[in-house]
């Protein structure tokens, strides 16, 4: 958690997001599913994975003062990515996704629309998703909000994480 904050403040997150992650994707044969997710065949899991070029549109929005616009942008990207899971050509009948309440609410909307079928497999735990949130925020904004209580409450808020099984057929 603190490592990623330090990397972000030193500008080293570029190394992680633009060099190490693409290499990791290539070695483990990740299959990109929309902007927000990739399929990890080794564990038959869908994971949050945003390419460097796609992060620019999220980083351009102020995550504190334009909170609703930021949430809507993230929500739309997640919704489009989840809808593309069935079209991704995954050879399995089901895939696992470990995610928070925010993504679950979007999954529920897609379930009501008949786009996505899923079932809760287990409760995972409650944890902070610092690196996941900071990935969507520019380094300049982290410096800008370094002393903002509202920013740190959002970054350090504990999230309920659960594992879901998405049906593909």
């Amino acid at each position: 958690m603190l490592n990623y904050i330090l990397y972000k403040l030193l500008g080293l997150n570029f190394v992680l997001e633009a060099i190490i992650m693409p290499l990791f994707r290539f070695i483990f044969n990740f299959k990109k599913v929309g902007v927000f997710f990739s399929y990890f065949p080794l564990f038959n899991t869908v994971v949050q994975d945003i390419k460097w070029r796609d992060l620019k549109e999220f980083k351009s929005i102020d995550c504190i003062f334009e909170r609703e616009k930021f949430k809507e942008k993230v929500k739309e990207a997640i919704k489009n990515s989840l809808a593309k899971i069935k079209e991704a050509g995954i050879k399995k009948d089901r895939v696992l996704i470990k995610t928070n309440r925010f993504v679950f609410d979007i999954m529920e909307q897609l379930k009501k629309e008949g786009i996505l079928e899923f079932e809760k497999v287990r409760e995972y735990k409650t944890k902070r998703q610092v690196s996941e949130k900071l990935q969507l925020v520019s380094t300049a904004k982290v410096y800008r909000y370094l002393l903002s209580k509202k920013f740190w409450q959002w970054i350090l808020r504990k999230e309920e994480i659960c594992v879901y099984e998405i049906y593909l057929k």
Side-chain angles (χ1 to χ4, degrees):
M1 171 178 79
L2 292 174
N3 291 341
Y4 197 83
I5 294 172
L6 184 61
Y7 286 159
K8 193 77 166 180
L9 293 172
L10 295 174
L12 298 175
N13 61 308
F14 174 80
V15 174
L16 290 171
E17 295 168 2
I19 298 169
I20 294 174
M21 281 311 297
L23 184 63
F24 193 78
R25 281 186 209 106
F26 177 75
I27 291 170
F28 290 103
N29 195 25
F30 275 51
K31 185 172 196 145
K32 198 69 183 135
V33 181
V35 171
F36 231 84
F37 299 108
S38 284
Y39 173 65
F40 188 28
L42 187 62
F43 294 113
N44 191 37
T45 304
V46 172
V47 294
Q48 180 178 324
D49 177 32
I50 307 169
K51 289 187 176 180
W52 177 255
R53 70 174 184 263
D54 296 325
L55 283 171
K56 291 177 192 172
E57 65 183 86
F58 299 108
K59 290 180 178 188
S60 66
I61 302 170
D62 192 315
C63 60
I64 298 298
F65 287 112
E66 299 177 296
R67 185 82 183 127
E68 288 308 311
K69 182 179 176 184
F70 181 77
K71 278 173 84 171
E72 283 305 311
K73 188 75 164 170
V74 171
K75 185 177 181 177
E76 193 60 37
I78 291 171
K79 188 174 182 177
N80 291 338
S81 297
L82 284 169
K84 291 181 180 182
I85 288 176
K86 284 188 173 184
E87 303 164 11
I90 299 169
K91 292 176 175 53
K92 307 275 184 170
D93 291 343
R94 306 167 186 198
V95 294
L96 294 176
I97 185 169
K98 188 184 335 176
T99 193
N100 60 24
R101 177 61 112 189
F102 181 76
V103 176
F104 169 76
D105 291 340
I106 298 167
M107 289 170 58
E108 276 291 316
Q109 288 176 0
L110 292 173
K111 187 175 188 176
K112 288 176 185 172
E113 295 171 16
I115 296 170
L116 192 69
E117 287 298 318
F118 68 92
E119 177 181 314
K120 187 174 185 178
V121 177
R122 68 180 182 273
E123 297 219 5
Y124 184 62
K125 60 182 170 182
T126 303
K127 72 173 212 167
R128 291 182 171 93
Q129 292 187 302
V130 174
S131 61
E132 290 88 340
K133 291 176 184 173
L134 279 176
Q135 187 179 19
L136 301 173
V137 179
S138 72
T139 303
K141 289 196 179 70
V142 173
Y143 275 109
R144 181 177 177 188
Y145 296 122
L146 206 51
L147 300 176
S148 169
K149 182 179 176 184
K150 192 174 185 180
F151 177 75
W152 288 106
Q153 285 175 334
W154 172 60
I155 292 295
L156 297 174
R157 182 181 64 223
K158 286 189 175 185
E159 304 286 347
E160 176 189 326
I161 310 294
C162 295
V163 178
Y164 302 94
E165 196 169 53
I166 297 175
Y167 302 108
L168 301 176
K169 304 286 184 211

